[in-house]
Amino acid sequence: MSAVNSASVSRWSRFKVPVAVLAVAGIFGGAVVAPLAMPSAPADAESMAFQQRIHQEFVPNDAPEADLVYAEVPAEISQDEQRRVKAEEEAAAAKKAAEAEASPKAAAAPPKYTGGGSPAEWMAAAGIAESDWGYVDYIASKESGWNPNATNASSGACGLIQANPCSKVPGSGYDPVDNLRWANGYAVGRYGSWAGAYAFWTSNHWW
């Protein structure tokens, strides 16, 4: 073998190990990078149920009885809270009586909601941030099952978030956007945020 050939072989010997290492690293590097580029795993069942629920188109019940709910506000509430609720109810009753006296032919209750739409559309129209939709969904699901026409059989509380009395909602308590717009103001005004309202609801089962 000539000196030139020996030098060429020697140079190749010095480089072939790093080249081999780089080749192997390239192969395994591809294996490591590939999963990162793959689509994320499907959403879990809870997330899928949430998405299905908030995008479900509303269809009114045929029978009025199907709109009745029987949930009661727990009796174990503080005296301050009882006084607040009582004062609110008395003020609303006085306002209702004054309105009835001024307009005897006024309807006793707003008409039920017959429009369409979905919870996602209603929340967006009510100006509720999408980041709060999970909290709203939890409370509305518990209060009314996302039925805008839900009516408490004993108290008369109405709508998605069960306003009591129904007349406290500007517009119509049965209109889902009006009800949610009122509820948004209540959640932020009383609890600071929907997250705060959710935390209170999960601890007390009412809000």
Side-chain angles (χ1 to χ4, degrees):
M1 182 178 293
S2 67
V4 174
N5 288 341
S6 296
S8 298
V9 170
S10 177
R11 281 196 297 272
W12 168 245
S13 298
R14 286 199 303 273
F15 288 111
K16 69 181 180 181
V17 172
V19 168
V21 169
L22 288 173
V24 170
I27 293 169
F28 284 104
V32 170
V33 171
L36 300 179
M38 291 174 64
S40 59
D44 60 26
E46 188 175 342
S47 295
M48 291 175 67
F50 165 70
Q51 289 297 328
Q52 183 177 13
R53 199 161 49 244
I54 67 169
H55 292 289
Q56 179 69 44
E57 190 76 11
F58 172 67
V59 178
N61 290 315
D62 292 330
E65 295 78 13
D67 293 326
L68 295 177
V69 292
Y70 297 90
E72 293 289 343
V73 173
E76 316 82 70
I77 60 176
S78 69
Q79 290 185 348
D80 287 343
E81 187 62 24
Q82 289 179 30
R83 283 193 290 268
R84 185 193 69 79
V85 171
K86 185 177 180 181
E88 264 191 1
E89 290 176 347
E90 287 175 350
K95 181 181 177 183
K96 188 174 181 180
E99 289 173 347
E101 187 176 345
S103 179
K105 295 182 179 179
K112 295 291 186 75
Y113 180 71
T114 57
S118 67
E121 293 170 337
W122 301 332
M123 287 188 284
I128 298 173
E130 192 168 347
S131 57
D132 287 330
W133 287 7
Y135 302 126
V136 182
D137 172 64
Y138 181 89
I139 294 175
S141 294
K142 298 289 186 182
E143 297 269 318
S144 65
W146 278 116
N147 176 9
N149 295 323
T151 305
N152 186 285
S154 59
S155 71
C158 75
L160 294 176
I161 309 295
Q162 290 292 278
N164 186 21
C166 191
S167 58
K168 71 166 57 175
V169 178
S172 170
Y174 288 116
D175 182 282
V177 176
D178 288 346
N179 194 286
L180 287 171
R181 192 177 287 121
W182 161 77
N184 191 48
Y186 178 76
V188 175
R190 182 162 177 78
Y191 300 102
S193 65
W194 275 103
Y198 166 81
F200 187 91
W201 209 106
T202 53
S203 296
N204 299 277
H205 308 293
W206 64 277
W207 73 316

